[in-house]
């Protein structure tokens, strides 16, 4: 058999089938597009923690795909009591109310304590150091006003398709929020 | 390569499938072995461990529970015991009045959330509704609505004496003194350098006031972990208390959150965070435990404080009846325990 | 002004929380910072770059026929989509978002993600796996490290090439049920792009990258679920990659040029005797197909219950059932204890939700199992069908359009002017016509 010659009829039949399949494929893709497009949004979405659902399980510090978690502790100053004995800053039973590491709760010393006026102190988070472990959040929530809470920081978050922390979140607190309103902050009004 | 070898046949495909399955099984088992070998993350290495502080030495507990009943309305805040040992609970937009077995007797409804309640000896009920006081007679008929005392007023505690009514104002960090007609007579415990008053530190709305048998007011200075005694004219007479997670002190950032007084002048204190109720002597020496943290499971667990519209709410409050029994209101579990001194 | 009034009205409606102290020194409360999320325009920039890269790749493959150009484009894609965008958003993962959008009405699919899913597929229907050629960072990474290609035995190759379809089915199943994005979770190269990740994934990424030095694009050929879709689309493509720009002279120089096993050699029409036998076998296989579908579906159904435990709600319900009767813990709680605590607030809701998810998994299990049966059946059938071929040509479904084989063709070398046309005249007397795109 001469390999250089092929039957033209078979070629055109194959061509016809292929054209048909292509048309079907395009139609299918178009159909899928139509089905999905009505549920789609022009805006992007990002991951965020609902502070009302957070149970401070510590997974945020452990499961983020980043070396240092994109989840950080943030401070709603308007809810803070400016306590001298901050239970988010100090161990439950501190020896002394000073900045000695043995008295402090934070494993990375990421909370800064600043004297404002007698007897008030302000607490700020150094996000370079914070690992999002929620130990201070637990302290503040158990004893205090809950002004410390966790948020996904979007200058760090890679916005993974499926957040590795959300998958293991004990409080089911992660959810996708619109990218133009990317925070679920605690505020002074309810 | 021999062209014949590069041609795919069914037999080659099936053999290849078997090989691929073998490869996959090997890969899969390696991965699962690696996963099993990697250290588990069952525990939270960053847990704030307060377990050691949640156990009370049984020898210190001098009270036992004789009754327990559920509250009738959600979001309870304060408890008071009036004449005839009726129980008044400030909860949601009402004061519910129960008998000492927990049966609902009546209810005083208000237009706004009720945050505190006090009952005078003659039976008048004083109700703290956020920024003002409303008064009712013993049948629940409204007597008067007092005007609000100011912008930041946030009433969280009430005490009714023979001539005066005292309202703890968490927002302005002071105690307001009213006469029985609702006229504001003075502001007690405000920060004042001339009178050497250090002022109240109130990180959260739990300021309470009680009138002691010695005629002095007792105010819980929560941010300083102290109980302070003031004259009705506003002089600080003495104070006691210190911060400590240990049983003899006040734990957390802002405790005690509730006060009650026994007829002999001894203090009953309530705490949040590590929920516990203790008795201190009139001078403020720790005497005994009414109920330890382990008593209040709901209240002691992590995240017990509930987010309400006005803040994070939790902890306990207490009141004393004519038989010196202590009624403990659990703000989280919404129940009342009646504690009696062990024989 | 009106806005201010509106704001104050809203503020007065909402109840104020207990305020911090009034500072005598007039200290002002700091404002909680909120670093913005990545700008939306940048998402659309990604889509634009994707579109441009696809267009450029089509031009490079079909017009310029330039391997060098594709290498440059690959490096760009690797840097942009890989190391700069950390491998996210990517077309491979986007198929799960589409599946989730189909399965969950409440999920709003970002348009940019939809574009990443649709664009490469639409291109593939017309021009083959152009996306794989130089736009996909995963492909680019493996392609660029391919130094010493070894040939995979054809049987093993064919068997392994079934895997992407199975992975695709599993990925869609878990995404549509809202359980997990397994394609993202077990993506071997994203940890490489991010230079961080779970130890297991970094390790497997490194292993696969090492394998890529010897086996051409192992992920693309034997795992990539999006590649499975592209393969289907490319099989009916209008324009196909042809080794020669002109007529094939049957010189067989390109025979071993493809490191990805996509080159098909000329095949004669089988003799009548073998033809009849093949037809008989084909008939049996066609009869076997429904059996494979049913059997696969049943097996999928049987395994749907354990598979559903990948869904966090189902595993929580499982935990809840196992912990029934045990006293609640006090003190330091593990994440599991905390999740259990949450479940105990509303046990009936959790159990009902888990049951609903398991029902969906049961249906999904049937579909997935039938899909597996279908894939095996179709593969068996396609192995049994012999299509006569005259020239050496790449299989359009398997071809990554990498343009390697072009340089092996003497006609191509003539076209580029590397060798004079006269060297070929003896072998191929009828060189004529311009290089065509549309020759199938």
């Amino acid at each position: 058999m001469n390999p250089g010659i092929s039957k033209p009829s078979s070629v055109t039949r194959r061509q016809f089938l292929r054209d048909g399949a292509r048309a079907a494929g395009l139609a299918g893709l178009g159909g899928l597009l139509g089905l999905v497009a009505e549920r789609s949004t022009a805006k992007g979405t990002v991951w965020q923690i609902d502070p009302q659902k957070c149970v401070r399980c510590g997974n945020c510090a452990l499961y983020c795909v980043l070396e240092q978690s994109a989840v950080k502790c943030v401070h709603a100053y308007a809810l803070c009591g400016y306590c001298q004995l901050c239970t988010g800053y100090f161990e439950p039973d501190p020896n002394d109310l000073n900045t000695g590491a043995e008295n402090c709760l934070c494993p990375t010393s990421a909370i800064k304590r600043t004297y404002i006026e007698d007897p008030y102190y302000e607490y700020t988070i150094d996000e370079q150091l914070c690992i999002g472990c929620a130990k201070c959040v637990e302290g503040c929530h158990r004893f205090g006003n809950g002004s410390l809470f966790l948020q996904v920081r979007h200058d760090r978050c890679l916005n993974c398709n499926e957040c590795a922390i959300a998958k293991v979140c004990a409080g089911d607190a992660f959810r996708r929020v619109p990218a133009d309103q990317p925070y679920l902050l605690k505020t002074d009004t309810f | 390569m021999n062209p014949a070898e590069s041609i795919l046949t069914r037999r080659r495909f099936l053999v290849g499938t078997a090989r691929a399955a073998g490869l996959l099984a090997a890969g899969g088992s390696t991965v699962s072995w690696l996963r099993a070998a990697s250290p588990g993350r069952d525990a939270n290495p960053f847990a704030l461990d307060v377990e050691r502080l949640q156990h009370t030495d049984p020898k210190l507990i001098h009270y036992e529970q004789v009754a327990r009943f559920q509250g009738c309305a959600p979001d309870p805040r304060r408890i008071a015991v009036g004449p005839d040992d009726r129980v008044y609970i400030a909860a949601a937009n009402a004061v519910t009045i129960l008998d000492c077995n927990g049966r609902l007797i009546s209810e005083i409804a208000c237009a706004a959330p009720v945050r505190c309640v006090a009952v005078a000896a003659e039976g008048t009920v004083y109700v703290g509704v956020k920024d003002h006081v409303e008064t009712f007679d013993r049948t629940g008929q409204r007597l008067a609505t007092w005007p609000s005392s100011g912008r930041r007023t946030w009433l969280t505690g009430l005490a009714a004496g023979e001539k005066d009514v005292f309202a703890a104002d968490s927002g302005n960090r002071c105690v307001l003194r009213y006469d029985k007609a609702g006229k504001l007579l003075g502001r007690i415990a405000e920060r004042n350098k001339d009178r050497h008053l250090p002022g109240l530190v109130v990180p959260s709305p739990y300021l309470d006031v009680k009138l002691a048998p010695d005629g002095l007011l007792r105010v819980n200075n929560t941010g300083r972990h102290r109980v302070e005694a003031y004259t009705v004219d506003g002089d600080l007479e003495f104070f006691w208390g210190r911060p400590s997670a240990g049983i003899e002190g006040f734990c957390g950032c802002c405790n005690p959150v509730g006060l009650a007084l026994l007829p002999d002048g001894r203090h009953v204190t309530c705490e949040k965070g590590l929920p516990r109720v203790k008795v201190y002597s009139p001078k403020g020496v720790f005497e005994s435990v009414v109920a330890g943290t382990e008593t209040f499971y709901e209240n002691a667990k992590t995240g017990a404080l509930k987010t309400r519209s006005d803040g994070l709410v939790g902890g306990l409050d207490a009141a004393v009846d004519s038989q010196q029994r202590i009624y403990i209101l659990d703000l989280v579990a919404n129940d009342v325990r009646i504690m009696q001194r062990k024989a | 002004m009106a806005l201010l009034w509106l704001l104050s009205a809203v503020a007065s409606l909402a109840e104020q929380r207990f305020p911090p102290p009034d500072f005598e020194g007039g200290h002002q409360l700091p404002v909680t910072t909120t670093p913005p999320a990545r700008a939306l325009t940048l998402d659309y920039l990604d889509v634009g770059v994707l579109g441009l890269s696809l267009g450029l790749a089509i031009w490079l493959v079909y017009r310029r026929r330039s391997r060098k150009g594709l290498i440059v484009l690959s490096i760009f894609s690797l840097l942009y989509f890989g190391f700069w965008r950390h491998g996210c958003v990517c077309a491979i993962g986007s198929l799960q978002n589409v599946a989730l959008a189909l399965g969950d009405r409440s999920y709003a699919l970002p348009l940019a993600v939809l574009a990443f899913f649709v664009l490469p597929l639409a291109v593939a229907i017309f021009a083959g796996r152009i996306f794989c050629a130089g736009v996909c960072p995963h492909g680019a990474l493996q392609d660029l490290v391919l130094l010493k290609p070894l040939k995979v035995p054809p049987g093993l190759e064919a068997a392994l090439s079934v895997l992407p379809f199975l992975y695709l089915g599993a990925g869609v199943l878990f995404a549509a049920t809202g359980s997990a994005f397994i394609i993202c979770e077990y993506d071997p190269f994203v940890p490489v792009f991010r230079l961080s990740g779970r130890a297991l994934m970094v390790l497997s990424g490194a292993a696969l990258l090492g394998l890529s030095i010897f086996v051409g694009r192992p992920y693309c050929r034997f795992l990539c679920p999006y590649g499975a879709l592209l393969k289907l689309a490319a099989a009916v493509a209008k324009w196909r990659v042809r080794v020669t720009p002109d007529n094939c002279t049957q010189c067989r120089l390109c025979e071993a040029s493809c490191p990805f096993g996509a080159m098909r050699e000329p095949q004669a029409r089988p003799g009548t005797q073998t033809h009849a036998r093949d037809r008989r076998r084909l008939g049996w296989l066609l009869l076997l197909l429904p059996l494979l579908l049913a059997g696969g579906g049943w097996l999928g159904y049987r395994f749907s219950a354990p598979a559903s435990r990948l869904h966090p709600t189902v595993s929580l319900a499982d935990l809840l059932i196992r912990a029934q009767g045990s006293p609640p813990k006090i003190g330091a709680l593990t994440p599991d204890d905390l999740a259990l605590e949450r479940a105990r607030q509303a046990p009936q809701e959790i159990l009902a939700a888990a049951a609903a998810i398991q029902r969906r998994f049961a249906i999904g299990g049937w579909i997935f199992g039938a899909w597996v049966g279908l894939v095996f059946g179709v593969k068996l059938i396609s192995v049994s069908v012999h299509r006569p071929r005259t020239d050496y040509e790449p299989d359009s479904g398997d071809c990554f359009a990498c343009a390697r084989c072009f340089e092996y063709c003497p006609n191509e070398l003539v076209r580029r002017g590397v060798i004079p046309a006269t060297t070929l005249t003896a072998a191929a007397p009828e060189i004529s016509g311009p290089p065509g795109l549309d020759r199938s």
Side-chain angles (χ1 to χ4, degrees):
Chain A
M1 187 171 261
N2 184 355
I5 298 167
S6 53
K7 279 195 284 183
S9 71
S10 113
V11 170
T12 47
R13 189 178 67 213
R14 201 183 297 160
Q15 190 108 39
F16 173 74
L17 283 175
R18 198 176 275 166
D19 283 344
R22 193 182 313 128
L26 272 176
L29 199 59
L32 189 71
L33 202 68
L35 216 77
V36 176
E38 58 150 351
R39 280 175 219 165
S40 66
T41 158
K43 288 172 192 162
T45 55
V46 292
W47 292 102
Q48 195 47 273
I49 301 170
D50 184 345
Q52 307 298 347
K53 290 175 91 177
C54 172
V55 293
R56 306 162 291 282
C57 65
N59 279 348
C60 284
L62 297 173
Y63 284 88
C64 184
V65 296
L66 290 171
E67 209 62 58
Q68 200 199 61
S69 180
V71 174
K72 305 283 170 199
C73 175
V74 296
H75 200 172
Y77 296 96
L79 302 185
C80 179
Y82 283 77
C83 304
Q84 186 176 18
L85 197 174
C86 171
T87 46
Y89 183 81
F90 290 113
E91 284 281 355
D93 216 357
N95 294 323
D96 200 2
L97 297 190
N98 60 36
T99 53
E102 73 280 6
N103 301 324
C104 292
L105 213 55
C106 181
T108 57
S109 305
I111 309 180
K112 208 164 94 225
R113 183 176 189 248
T114 330
Y115 175 77
I116 301 295
E117 64 184 47
D118 182 55
Y120 300 121
Y121 289 80
E122 190 164 83
Y123 299 88
T124 43
I125 312 293
D126 183 349
E127 290 191 7
Q128 300 284 345
L129 297 174
C130 176
I131 56 169
C133 71
K135 199 172 184 180
C136 60
V137 180
E138 172 68 12
C140 182
H141 197 93
R142 172 178 278 279
F143 292 103
N145 289 359
S147 59
L148 296 170
F149 60 105
L150 291 184
Q151 286 284 283
V152 176
R153 303 304 270 172
H154 292 296
D155 50 346
R156 295 166 186 271
C157 177
L158 298 177
N159 196 17
C160 293
N161 210 353
E162 183 184 46
C163 174
I165 312 170
K167 237 178 110 64
V168 293
C169 176
D172 192 23
F174 274 75
R175 63 169 198 250
R176 291 176 219 257
V177 298
D180 52 355
Q181 288 168 320
Y183 290 92
L184 298 168
L185 296 179
K186 286 187 170 183
T187 57
D188 58 343
T189 51
F190 189 79
Chain B
M1 190 182 257
N2 184 344
E5 277 175 27
S6 67
I7 288 173
L8 179 61
T9 64
R10 217 171 10 234
R11 185 184 302 263
R12 281 193 180 140
F13 170 62
L14 290 174
V15 170
T17 306
R19 276 195 202 161
L23 273 176
L24 273 185
S29 51
T30 314
V31 167
S32 59
W33 177 78
L34 276 173
R35 281 188 80 134
S38 62
R41 283 169 171 178
D42 295 337
N44 175 8
F46 307 108
L48 177 70
D49 193 0
V50 291
E51 194 181 1
R52 68 196 153 83
L53 305 169
Q54 290 180 323
H55 302 289
T56 317
D57 182 356
K59 285 201 290 284
L60 297 174
I61 302 174
H62 290 186
Y63 282 78
E64 62 190 356
Q65 185 178 315
V66 291
R68 183 183 178 185
F69 53 83
Q70 279 295 311
C72 292
D75 192 14
R77 299 298 175 96
R78 289 283 187 205
I79 188 172
V81 174
D84 316 328
D85 286 348
R86 284 181 177 184
V87 181
Y88 296 75
I89 299 174
N93 285 14
V95 174
T96 53
I97 305 169
L98 313 168
D99 71 10
C100 64
N101 298 314
R103 274 190 294 272
L104 183 68
I105 298 171
S106 64
E107 196 177 82
I108 299 172
C110 296
V114 175
R115 302 265 163 78
C116 46
V117 59
V119 189
E122 87 282 5
T124 308
V125 183
Y126 297 88
V127 179
V129 185
K130 197 184 171 191
D131 65 340
H132 67 275
V133 176
E134 298 180 14
T135 58
F136 298 85
D137 71 9
R138 41 186 319 144
T139 61
Q141 291 301 308
R142 184 184 299 267
L143 299 174
T145 300
W146 296 357
S148 168
S149 76
R151 182 179 62 88
R152 284 174 65 101
T153 298
W154 192 294
L155 300 183
T156 50
L158 275 175
E162 274 175 39
K163 286 186 231 145
D164 311 291
V165 174
F166 302 92
D169 181 352
S170 288
N172 289 308
R173 276 95 180 154
C174 69
V175 173
L176 305 170
R177 181 185 175 193
Y178 291 97
D179 69 8
K180 292 248 162 165
K183 189 173 161 231
L184 185 62
L185 299 178
R187 296 160 83 93
I188 303 168
E190 259 184 330
R191 185 180 170 95
N192 188 328
K193 287 205 179 95
D194 300 336
R195 293 177 75 176
H196 304 290
L197 297 177
L200 299 172
V201 181
V202 187
S204 45
Y206 288 97
L207 193 66
D208 201 2
V209 59
K210 287 282 144 58
L211 195 57
D214 57 11
L216 298 179
L217 294 172
R218 295 295 190 277
V219 180
N220 57 338
N221 196 345
T222 58
R224 297 191 202 271
H225 302 85
R226 298 200 303 223
V227 174
E228 299 178 339
Y230 290 90
T231 64
V232 293
D233 298 315
D235 288 321
L236 176 60
E237 295 296 299
F238 66 92
F239 60 82
W240 56 270
R242 66 180 186 87
S244 166
I247 196 71
E248 70 292 342
F250 297 127
C251 67
C253 60
C254 28
N255 268 319
V257 292
L259 292 176
L261 286 155
L262 290 159
D264 57 4
R266 287 184 302 150
H267 303 85
V268 180
T269 63
C270 305
E271 286 165 75
K272 68 175 175 135
L274 296 174
R276 53 195 189 189
V277 180
K278 298 175 295 192
V279 173
Y280 289 82
S281 77
K283 291 265 170 63
V285 179
F286 169 71
E287 283 189 354
S288 65
V289 175
V290 180
T293 303
E294 56 275 77
T295 313
F296 309 97
Y297 167 70
E298 281 293 309
N299 210 316
K301 68 187 183 188
T302 171
L305 273 69
K306 296 278 175 269
T307 303
R308 306 287 188 208
S309 57
D310 54 339
L312 215 50
V313 173
L316 308 162
D317 192 37
V320 179
D321 76 356
S322 60
Q323 303 166 50
Q324 299 197 31
R325 298 191 302 182
I326 297 171
Y327 291 58
I328 304 173
L329 173 69
D330 186 326
L331 271 59
V332 176
N334 191 8
D335 61 11
V336 177
R337 287 164 209 266
I338 304 179
M339 309 297 289
Q340 192 166 37
R341 208 176 159 86
K342 284 180 188 164
Chain C
M1 201 60 218
L3 192 74
L4 263 177
W5 179 83
L6 196 74
L7 277 176
S8 63
V10 167
S12 64
L13 276 178
E15 189 170 3
Q16 196 78 24
R17 296 246 202 151
F18 187 69
D22 258 344
F23 298 107
E24 286 171 356
H27 174 68
Q28 290 296 310
L29 300 190
V31 177
T32 310
T33 58
T34 52
R38 195 168 180 269
L40 194 61
T41 46
L42 287 178
D43 282 2
Y44 288 106
L45 176 71
D46 291 343
V47 176
V49 172
L50 174 74
L52 282 178
S53 308
L54 284 169
L56 189 61
I58 292 177
W59 181 71
L60 284 171
V61 171
Y62 290 111
R63 281 285 170 205
R64 286 294 304 271
R65 294 172 63 84
S66 163
R67 170 79 195 139
K68 276 200 192 104
L70 277 178
I71 290 177
V72 173
L73 182 62
S74 292
I75 291 171
F76 167 77
S77 302
L78 182 62
L79 292 178
Y80 185 86
F81 294 111
F83 289 102
W84 158 244
R85 294 293 298 120
H86 297 296
C88 223
V89 55
C90 88
I92 305 172
S94 71
L95 74 92
Q96 300 167 112
N97 299 65
V98 173
L100 179 60
L102 288 174
D104 179 1
R105 293 188 160 273
S106 64
Y107 172 62
L109 178 71
L111 276 181
V113 177
L114 185 61
F116 263 79
F117 173 75
V118 168
L119 279 180
L121 268 179
V123 166
I125 285 184
F126 287 100
R129 299 174 72 167
I130 287 297
F131 176 68
C132 307
V135 185
C136 176
H138 290 59
L141 180 64
Q142 294 168 81
D143 206 310
L144 291 172
V145 299
L146 177 59
L147 297 175
K148 198 158 174 52
L150 300 176
K151 195 164 172 68
V152 181
L156 190 62
E157 161 115 37
L160 287 174
S161 68
V162 169
L163 280 180
F165 291 94
L166 308 189
Y167 198 14
L168 170 69
V172 168
L173 173 69
F174 285 115
T177 49
S179 317
F181 279 22
I182 56 169
I183 299 170
C184 293
E185 198 182 340
Y186 295 103
D187 190 298
F189 295 125
V190 167
V192 176
F193 297 145
R194 288 177 180 161
L195 306 174
S196 78
R198 287 184 300 152
L200 184 66
M201 290 325 293
V202 171
L203 220 65
S204 60
L208 209 57
L209 207 56
L211 187 67
S212 313
I213 299 173
F214 305 106
V215 177
R217 295 186 177 226
Y219 183 79
C220 307
R221 283 154 84 192
F222 306 133
L223 277 171
C224 181
Y226 192 69
L229 286 178
L230 288 173
K231 189 173 179 168
L232 293 177
V236 297
K238 194 176 176 72
W239 306 320
R240 282 141 189 273
V241 172
R242 292 189 77 232
V243 181
T244 171
D246 212 311
N247 279 341
C248 178
T249 55
Q250 306 290 329
C251 66
R252 297 177 63 177
L253 286 172
C254 62
E255 191 179 81
S257 64
C258 185
F260 309 122
M263 191 62 76
R264 299 288 179 266
E265 49 199 47
Q267 212 168 32
R269 196 161 281 283
T272 33
Q273 209 175 356
T274 46
H275 193 57
R277 196 193 63 201
D278 278 357
R279 276 197 156 172
R280 235 182 2 261
R281 284 201 175 160
L282 189 60
W284 282 116
L285 281 176
L286 284 172
L287 280 178
L288 186 66
L289 193 60
L291 278 179
L292 276 174
L293 280 170
W298 184 77
L299 273 180
Y301 168 70
R302 292 301 302 239
F303 282 105
S304 68
S308 69
R309 294 212 183 100
L310 235 68
H311 194 292
T313 305
V314 178
S315 72
L316 181 59
D318 218 38
L319 201 64
L320 188 65
I321 292 164
R322 269 188 285 133
Q324 250 164 13
S326 67
K329 262 175 76 178
I330 197 163
L333 300 180
T334 68
D336 270 357
D337 296 330
L338 288 163
L340 197 60
E341 191 73 50
R342 166 166 65 88
R344 278 178 168 151
Q345 302 295 320
Q348 293 314 316
E349 269 172 48
I350 295 279
L351 291 177
I357 292 160
Q358 282 191 314
R359 276 196 299 280
R360 298 179 70 185
F361 256 96
I363 299 167
W366 273 107
I367 298 173
F368 173 65
W371 168 253
V372 173
L374 180 73
V375 167
F376 269 105
V378 169
K379 188 75 197 178
L380 269 174
I381 289 168
S382 77
V383 167
S384 308
V385 175
H386 297 288
R387 208 175 291 148
R389 227 186 329 262
T390 54
D391 298 348
Y392 277 93
E393 56 182 34
D395 179 282
S396 63
D398 288 339
C399 173
F400 295 120
C402 71
R404 277 194 180 81
C405 53
F406 297 167
E407 288 159 8
Y408 287 78
C409 181
N411 275 332
E412 173 74 11
L413 297 180
V414 169
R415 187 185 74 89
R416 292 187 192 176
V418 179
I419 53 173
T422 47
T423 48
L424 288 181
T425 42
E430 73 282 30
I431 295 175
S432 60
L437 288 178
D438 188 9
R439 283 184 190 221
S440 34

